[in-house]
Amino acid sequence: MESSSFVPPRFDIFEIYRRYCDIMSRAYEFGNERCLPNEEYQSAKFSREALSQLLELVESKSQIRFSVFEEIYKLMMRLDLRADFSEFSRFYDFIFFICRENGQKNITVSRAIMTWRLVLAGRFQLLNQWCSFVEKNQRHNISADTWRQVLAFSRCVQDNLEGYDPEGAWPVLIDDFVDHMYRIGCNDTHNSLCSCCDSDERSFTDSLPGLK
Amino acid sequence: MMNSSNQKKKNFQIEAFKHKVVVDPKFADKTWKILEHAIHEIYNHNASGLSFEELYRNAYNMVLHKFGEKLYSGLVATMTFHLQDMAKSIEAAQGGSFLEELNRKWTDHNKALQMIRDILMYMDRTFIQTNHKTPVHELGLNLWRDNVIHSSKIQTRLLDTLLELIFRERTGEVINRGLMRNVIKMLMDLGPLVYQEDFENPFLKVSADFYRAESQEFIECCDCGDYLKKAERRLNEEIERVSQYLDAKSETKITNVVEEEMIASHMLRLVHMDNSGLVNMLIDDKYEDLGRMYNLFRRVPNGLLTIREVMTSHLRETGKQLVTDPEKLKDPVEFVQCLLNEKDKYDKIINLAFSNDKTFQNALNSSFEFFINLNPRSPEFISLFVDEKLRKGLKGVSEEDVETILDKVMMLFRYLQEKDVFEKYYKQHLAKRLLSGKTVSDDAERSLIVKLKTECGYQFTSKLEGMFTDMKTSQDTMQGFYSAYGAELGDSPTLVVQVLTTGSWPTQSSITCNLPAEMSALCEKFRSYYLGTHTGRRLSWQTNMGTADLKAIFGKGQKHELNVSTYQMCVLMLFNTTDRLSYRDIEQATEIPSADLKRCLQSLACVKGKNVLRKEPMSKDIGEEDVFFVNDKFTSKFYKVKIGTVVAQKESEPEKQETRQRVEEDRKPQIEAAIVRIMKSRRVLDHNNIIAEVTKQLQSRFLANPGEIKKRIESLIERDFLERDSADRRLYRYLA
């Protein structure tokens, strides 16, 4: 038996989060040190396996599944997310991880919307419009990529959609959302589209190694 | 030097022979007098009495005895004297004789100069070179220039006379070109500067004024074609003038003037002239006028660009009208024929009038590409056109003509952005042709497939070729079947089965209808034969695609052979056992889908001249309560009667949607494959480059929609083929 399957007496959300951070930073270290494509692939495979083991453990040993939103809220209260964006970004990714069900790769629309409303409150100026748009228009589940890109999107657009670049490799759902916003005419200054604020994102990724 | 070391030479000194030359103090004056006299005689046409040898020697001696300067200045003074004399007589010449007099004096002066130079040759070679003086010949020209040409009474008169003569020639008079040539030649001999300043520059200026006024006059009263004719004539006249009596270097200058004044400054007005401009020429195929316009406009900056732009916008406009004309959309064959005619028309114009200019061909191609794709049904229509041609249109047409038609179709095909849509339709139409045995020429069919293959690669046509293979294999299978069972089948109906490979043929969800008993027994035999020779296969009957030939005897004993569809055959066979059948009876007995059944009954009972059935009540449409019976009074002047099925040739709206959807579905894996191919070789690539490369790769088949490409990328990310770079969200990474 590997150490990760050892279950401490208090296997609560904090413990799960701690292990999650552990796996992620180890994967990051791995990827940083060795750059051979094969190694990279190995590292990705390793972390994927570790994460699915953790998820299995969560599903079998803990009860938090039934009250995931409360648990997330508890965790959110405990963590100091205001100060450090990289910490928040990891927490955000963790939410996707914990919300996945039965080994699925994506999460349901309703779950996604609920958690967005919870964790992005005050961080995303178009949160309300976004959630109601997704509720009405998205029938498929939310993929990991879309989930992550929503965070990047929330950081780079203002409430008038300034900062959105139509060529900016956004997921189709986000493109559709922006189209929708233009159509309902929420903004009148969309002529000043500029590329998104790369500097912010840089600082967040650059600061990751410091968290080891 | 070599032998100086071993053999000393005695140095001899030879004393120069000193000959005391006593120079006559009056030597210089005397000698010059002789020479001066000789120059006078030369100018007075009296040179025959002079001795060249004597004069040469005198000149030689003067130079030798350092009197070169005296000789030179004496020459200048004497020549000047004569030239001034000449100028006076030229000035005195009246009217027309002025130029002649000038020319005569010029000839005289030239002859004199020639002799004088010969006499003074020694001075030319030594004194002039060491003292950097002007050589005699040049000196003569300069003196002529300064004393004659630039004399105040001659200079302007000469210019005015020349320009006046040219003006008169331009207005149609005949002038003495020989004299003109001599005088102009004289100016050229005096050096390029004289030619330019005393003639060419004013000439160009006057010409510009002349043509400006003339073009203004022409453009007000002529149509475009006439104007161009006049401009062309003027241009040729000027070129001829230069070759006749001007300096060859003037040609580009004067043609530039004509081009500028007659073409460049009126270019736009000419091109857009009402009722006769470029567009009208294009419409009326005025090859000659168009050719003239091309050749003239080519001479001025942006001339061809102007023609090309007007042609392009006209083409796009008419093309757009053509492909969106609702009348034209009713007949696909006519629609495509119109496109081909339009292409032929412009090919011919470019060939005959625009000297096959590549840039014009490109403009033509891009215009066609632009408007053909404005109509989303173009691929379908082009395929229908081919269908029509390969069904009957090519009967009695020679093989070469068939090739030409097919080549033209391929050219339209090349303009299509959605080649995969064409392929879809082509497959459907080909299937119908093959299965109904309607194709006229197997060679033509194959030739087109080869063309498609060279254009789009083998995967584009592999399914189409599969269809041909199936046809061939089926023939062999049927031969095998009949040689195996022929004897025991006796006089039962003849069965021809075409075994179609699933996937190669357009899939049609079909419900097998109930075949007549004798047929279904035969079919069963075939099934067991086929499955006996090919294990592991499944056969299902596509009764919706078959045909049948029936022998029928009507009421008064009229015999006919009826060519019908399998469905119709099933219906007709029911009447062998009974006289009347209701719609519901037929539906129950045959289990033909109701839409098909209605169409098939409609063509059996409602088409005049082919109504082998009658129905009650008589009406155009089939009702569920109708009753049918055999039309005993059926007559036809033909023994063989072909009963068609009422089918819409073009697709109906829902069918169109369905095809569209199928095309979209088929594109997804192709887009994904392209993305994976690209990412596999590039490993890491940014978003915009992926979109660009995928679009490029798929261009030969269809125009990929960026939104759709994006969706495919997302799907590939979800399936762990790709991932986003963690640092730059616009970069994608390929995961092995």
Side-chain angles (χ1 to χ4, degrees):
Chain A
M1 269 290 172
E2 285 178 53
S3 65
S4 59
S5 56
F6 165 73
V7 184
R10 283 185 56 233
F11 191 64
D12 55 8
I13 188 90
F14 304 109
E15 175 63 19
I16 299 168
Y17 185 60
R18 196 192 57 73
R19 289 199 185 187
Y20 174 84
C21 293
D22 222 37
I23 294 168
M24 291 317 279
S25 51
R26 228 183 313 159
Y28 194 83
E29 210 176 321
F30 212 119
N32 251 14
E33 280 166 9
R34 281 160 242 191
C35 300
L36 293 171
N38 192 32
E39 299 276 346
E40 207 171 274
Y41 174 68
Q42 288 295 324
S43 101
K45 203 173 140 198
F46 160 77
S47 61
R48 214 176 303 139
E49 272 170 14
L51 285 178
S52 64
Q53 266 178 10
L54 179 60
L55 201 61
E56 249 173 58
L57 209 59
V58 170
E59 293 199 336
S60 58
K61 304 283 189 229
S62 85
Q63 302 295 309
I64 64 158
R65 277 285 162 166
F66 304 107
S67 53
V68 68
F69 300 109
E70 276 169 39
E71 297 291 330
I72 289 171
Y73 189 69
K74 260 200 273 173
L75 180 63
M76 209 168 124
M77 289 298 103
R78 177 82 67 85
L79 296 171
D80 184 16
L81 297 170
R82 290 280 152 198
D84 187 353
F85 177 70
S86 63
E87 180 69 40
F88 177 75
S89 141
R90 191 145 49 153
F91 167 69
Y92 181 85
D93 288 349
F94 172 72
I95 292 170
F96 185 84
F97 165 78
I98 198 80
C99 285
R100 278 158 51 184
E101 284 171 302
N102 309 326
Q104 282 191 336
K105 281 183 178 170
N106 38 42
I107 64 174
T108 61
V109 173
S110 58
R111 223 166 230 239
I113 290 172
M114 264 192 265
T115 39
W116 273 325
R117 284 193 190 281
L118 183 65
V119 302
L120 288 183
R123 287 179 178 269
F124 184 12
Q125 286 174 317
L126 296 164
L127 182 61
N128 264 329
Q129 290 97 318
W130 168 254
C131 288
S132 51
F133 172 81
V134 174
E135 204 161 16
K136 267 184 224 141
N137 296 288
Q138 178 73 353
R139 273 168 293 135
H140 305 297
N141 286 354
I142 302 295
S143 70
D145 182 57
T146 307
W147 177 264
R148 252 179 241 133
Q149 294 310 308
V150 169
L151 181 63
F153 180 70
S154 75
R155 284 174 61 74
C156 106
V157 293
Q158 308 300 311
D159 59 350
N160 60 1
L161 294 173
E162 205 176 291
Y164 166 79
D165 175 7
E167 313 260 280
W170 296 109
V172 177
L173 186 60
I174 290 178
D175 287 338
D176 289 348
F177 170 65
V178 173
D179 278 354
H180 165 79
M181 293 301 280
Y182 282 152
R183 219 165 324 134
I184 63 173
C186 81
N187 76 312
D188 33 17
T189 56
H190 79 274
N191 49 350
S192 57
L193 293 178
C194 64
S195 64
C196 79
C197 37
D198 280 17
S199 55
D200 261 17
E201 286 179 83
R202 282 288 138 64
S203 71
F204 125 64
T205 44
D206 285 349
S207 61
L208 258 186
L211 290 172
K212 280 181 262 179
Chain B
M1 287 296 280
M2 288 269 293
N3 42 18
S4 62
S5 55
N6 43 20
Q7 202 178 331
K8 274 186 186 154
K9 258 191 178 170
K10 284 174 187 164
N11 283 335
F12 292 101
Q13 279 206 333
I14 299 171
E15 283 278 311
F17 173 70
K18 281 180 186 158
H19 171 74
K20 184 118 180 155
V21 182
V22 183
V23 182
D24 181 356
K26 288 193 180 157
F27 162 77
D29 284 341
K30 267 194 210 157
T31 321
W32 168 240
K33 274 277 174 288
I34 296 168
L35 286 168
E36 187 188 25
H37 173 74
I39 293 173
H40 286 313
E41 289 295 306
I42 289 171
Y43 272 105
N44 292 334
H45 304 282
N46 219 358
S48 53
L50 300 172
S51 155
F52 173 74
E53 188 276 333
E54 181 199 340
L55 293 170
Y56 184 89
R57 178 161 38 82
N58 283 325
Y60 172 83
N61 281 333
M62 273 189 88
V63 175
L64 201 67
H65 294 104
K66 311 267 189 281
F67 292 112
E69 188 57 48
K70 185 181 172 67
L71 180 60
Y72 191 82
S73 58
L75 171 69
V76 172
T78 316
M79 207 182 263
T80 308
F81 167 77
H82 278 282
L83 288 176
Q84 277 167 353
D85 202 38
M86 281 177 168
K88 276 200 196 79
S89 101
I90 295 167
E91 283 161 20
Q94 291 299 309
S97 61
F98 169 72
L99 275 193
E100 279 165 30
E101 184 63 16
L102 177 71
N103 187 33
R104 194 158 40 239
K105 292 295 179 205
W106 166 248
T107 321
D108 289 351
H109 175 61
N110 256 331
K111 275 188 196 145
L113 191 58
Q114 183 69 38
M115 288 188 214
I116 293 166
R117 193 182 63 173
D118 288 348
I119 296 166
L120 303 182
M121 194 173 298
Y122 187 72
M123 178 181 78
D124 233 2
R125 286 199 188 138
T126 56
F127 172 78
I128 283 175
Q129 280 189 4
T130 48
N131 292 280
H132 305 295
K133 301 266 188 193
T134 316
V136 175
H137 183 75
E138 205 184 325
L139 176 74
L141 295 181
N142 290 350
L143 290 175
W144 169 267
R145 179 190 68 201
D146 298 340
N147 292 294
V148 181
I149 298 304
H150 285 172
S151 102
S152 60
K153 284 184 187 150
I154 291 178
Q155 192 170 22
T156 47
R157 190 174 167 195
L158 171 62
L159 178 65
D160 290 347
T161 312
L162 291 175
L163 295 180
E164 166 72 14
L165 282 171
I166 291 175
F167 175 77
R168 272 156 60 184
E169 196 182 38
R170 277 179 183 150
T171 54
E173 279 184 44
V174 176
I175 61 162
N176 184 349
R177 286 183 159 189
L179 184 59
M180 282 298 273
R181 179 164 48 236
N182 290 343
V183 174
I184 301 277
K185 177 83 172 45
M186 178 260 292
L187 293 176
M188 281 152 65
D189 287 346
L190 297 179
L193 208 65
V194 176
Y195 175 74
Q196 279 164 18
E197 282 178 1
D198 287 83
F199 171 70
E200 195 185 41
N201 292 345
F203 164 69
L204 294 175
K205 198 185 154 299
V206 165
S207 302
D209 293 343
F210 176 81
Y211 285 119
R212 191 174 309 127
E214 189 177 77
S215 68
Q216 203 58 49
E217 186 191 314
F218 285 167
I219 199 124
E220 295 300 340
C221 65
C222 298
D223 67 18
C224 180
D226 284 345
Y227 182 95
L228 292 176
K229 258 179 222 148
K230 290 192 158 106
E232 186 185 43
R233 206 184 57 224
R234 281 306 193 192
L235 200 61
N236 289 338
E237 278 173 14
E238 291 303 329
I239 292 169
E240 204 220 338
R241 173 166 302 119
V242 172
S243 74
Q244 286 291 330
Y245 56 79
L246 299 183
D247 183 3
K249 287 196 204 76
S250 296
E251 185 177 312
T252 50
K253 295 180 191 165
I254 184 64
T255 51
N256 278 344
V257 167
V258 182
E259 287 156 8
E260 172 62 31
E261 296 301 336
M262 295 205 79
I263 304 167
S265 50
H266 299 290
M267 197 156 65
L268 288 179
R269 188 158 166 198
L270 282 169
V271 163
H272 295 294
M273 211 176 246
D274 287 340
N275 303 322
S276 67
L278 176 56
V279 168
N280 291 77
M281 290 180 182
L282 291 172
I283 291 172
D284 300 335
D285 295 321
K286 300 243 165 127
Y287 302 121
E288 217 176 291
D289 285 344
L290 287 167
R292 191 170 290 121
M293 184 181 270
Y294 177 84
N295 286 321
L296 290 175
F297 279 39
R298 184 167 54 175
R299 300 171 151 271
V300 301
N302 291 332
L304 292 188
L305 188 74
T306 310
I307 298 184
R308 214 160 46 229
E309 275 174 357
V310 171
M311 183 186 91
T312 307
S313 74
H314 171 67
L315 244 175
R316 287 186 178 212
E317 199 43 53
T318 48
K320 194 172 159 188
Q321 274 169 20
L322 193 106
V323 299
T324 50
D325 181 0
E327 276 303 307
K328 290 274 190 311
L329 295 187
K330 285 183 187 156
D331 185 353
V333 178
E334 177 65 20
F335 174 90
V336 175
Q337 193 56 55
C338 281
L339 290 178
L340 287 179
N341 293 347
E342 191 76 355
K343 180 73 171 37
D344 281 348
K345 176 187 165 84
Y346 280 92
D347 274 341
K348 204 164 170 200
I349 287 176
I350 291 176
N351 181 23
L352 293 177
F354 299 156
S355 67
N356 269 333
D357 190 320
K358 267 272 175 309
T359 57
F360 279 73
Q361 285 170 351
N362 292 345
L364 176 65
N365 289 338
S366 77
S367 304
F368 262 80
E369 206 175 314
F370 164 77
F371 65 73
I372 276 194
N373 291 301
L374 285 181
N375 185 343
R377 305 196 72 173
S378 292
E380 181 190 352
F381 286 3
I382 292 173
S383 173
L384 278 171
F385 178 83
V386 178
D387 190 51
E388 161 84 11
K389 291 290 165 209
L390 292 176
R391 264 169 197 273
K392 50 190 167 200
L394 295 176
K395 260 181 206 161
V397 179
S398 80
E399 209 167 292
E400 276 168 39
D401 292 347
V402 172
E403 281 294 298
T404 335
I405 291 177
L406 295 183
D407 279 336
K408 284 181 178 170
V409 170
M410 283 308 295
M411 182 188 63
L412 291 184
F413 170 76
R414 246 166 255 145
Y415 296 136
L416 290 178
Q417 280 169 350
E418 299 190 299
K419 296 194 170 61
D420 57 341
V421 178
F422 174 86
E423 189 210 352
K424 272 262 150 21
Y425 285 108
Y426 192 78
K427 212 160 115 180
Q428 280 175 21
H429 297 147
L430 176 64
K432 276 190 200 154
R433 280 204 298 281
L434 289 176
L435 295 180
S436 59
K438 292 278 173 49
T439 107
V440 180
S441 153
D442 213 39
D443 288 344
E445 291 278 4
R446 285 185 186 277
S447 156
L448 191 72
I449 298 230
V450 169
K451 287 183 204 306
L452 288 171
K453 197 181 197 167
T454 29
E455 195 67 31
C456 297
Y458 89 101
Q459 69 271 42
F460 192 87
T461 53
S462 61
K463 299 242 170 96
L464 302 178
E465 284 172 297
M467 290 161 75
F468 280 98
T469 320
D470 279 353
M471 295 302 289
K472 183 83 189 57
T473 322
S474 300
Q475 261 181 19
D476 298 345
T477 312
M478 285 325 290
Q479 263 177 12
F481 175 64
Y482 272 100
S483 59
Y485 289 94
E488 68 181 84
L489 288 176
D491 58 350
S492 67
T494 315
L495 177 72
V496 180
V497 180
Q498 277 137 355
V499 185
L500 314 180
T501 312
T502 316
S504 294
W505 298 73
T507 47
Q508 275 179 325
S509 51
S510 81
I511 301 151
T512 309
C513 72
N514 286 341
L515 292 169
E518 48 270 65
M519 286 313 297
S520 71
L522 198 54
C523 288
E524 270 318 306
K525 274 215 175 70
F526 177 80
R527 183 198 293 276
S528 58
Y529 165 77
Y530 186 80
L531 296 180
T533 46
H534 303 87
T535 48
R537 294 200 184 173
R538 247 184 45 207
L539 278 184
S540 64
W541 299 98
Q542 305 267 331
T543 44
N544 55 336
M545 293 160 97
T547 59
D549 291 328
L550 298 176
K551 282 192 178 129
I553 303 168
F554 290 90
K556 288 174 191 156
Q558 321 86 301
K559 285 184 183 173
H560 286 286
E561 195 175 303
L562 305 177
N563 179 254
V564 296
S565 73
T566 305
Y567 281 159
Q568 288 165 339
M569 182 260 302
C570 294
V571 173
L572 290 176
M573 295 290 275
L574 295 176
F575 289 93
N576 276 340
T577 49
T578 161
D579 291 335
R580 293 168 67 90
L581 283 167
S582 72
Y583 175 84
R584 299 220 180 277
D585 294 336
I586 298 174
E587 194 179 27
Q588 219 164 32
T590 59
E591 288 180 10
I592 297 171
S594 68
D596 289 327
L597 180 57
K598 277 182 185 165
R599 278 200 296 189
C600 121
L601 283 169
Q602 203 176 12
S603 44
L604 287 171
C606 305
V607 181
K608 224 182 148 196
K610 309 210 163 162
N611 48 336
V612 294
L613 295 183
R614 280 195 300 145
K615 81 180 187 78
E616 272 174 4
M618 279 305 289
S619 62
K620 279 279 165 211
D621 295 305
I622 306 297
E624 309 233 327
E625 308 303 327
D626 290 357
V627 176
F628 297 85
F629 39 93
V630 175
N631 179 10
D632 284 332
K633 297 194 184 83
F634 174 77
T635 51
S636 170
K637 49 184 170 177
F638 301 107
Y639 173 66
K640 278 191 177 176
V641 180
K642 185 180 172 338
I643 296 174
T645 314
V646 186
V647 276
Q649 198 190 17
K650 273 189 305 179
E651 283 196 311
S652 62
E653 206 49 42
E655 277 177 315
K656 208 169 81 185
Q657 295 294 339
E658 201 194 308
T659 311
R660 189 77 232 172
Q661 220 169 21
R662 243 179 319 153
V663 168
E664 294 294 340
E665 279 306 313
D666 283 359
R667 283 180 185 180
K668 285 182 185 168
Q670 295 187 52
I671 297 175
E672 284 189 358
I675 298 171
V676 171
R677 260 198 308 276
I678 292 161
M679 289 308 291
K680 200 166 183 175
S681 64
R682 305 287 285 267
R683 315 299 305 184
V684 180
L685 199 62
D686 71 281
H687 180 75
N688 291 346
N689 271 320
I690 287 202
I691 301 273
E693 288 212 21
V694 169
T695 312
K696 206 174 117 206
Q697 267 204 11
L698 296 172
Q699 216 165 33
S700 66
R701 302 214 36 151
F702 57 90
L703 197 68
N705 171 6
E708 189 53 45
I709 301 176
K710 230 171 171 181
K711 276 189 194 156
R712 293 301 106 213
I713 293 175
E714 276 178 42
S715 158
L716 288 169
I717 292 178
E718 223 181 316
R719 285 180 282 154
D720 290 327
F721 281 96
L722 305 179
E723 68 171 1
R724 259 184 226 266
D725 189 90
S726 51
D728 184 349
R729 42 170 297 278
R730 286 176 207 220
L731 280 186
Y732 300 114
R733 245 167 226 295
Y734 180 71
L735 299 173

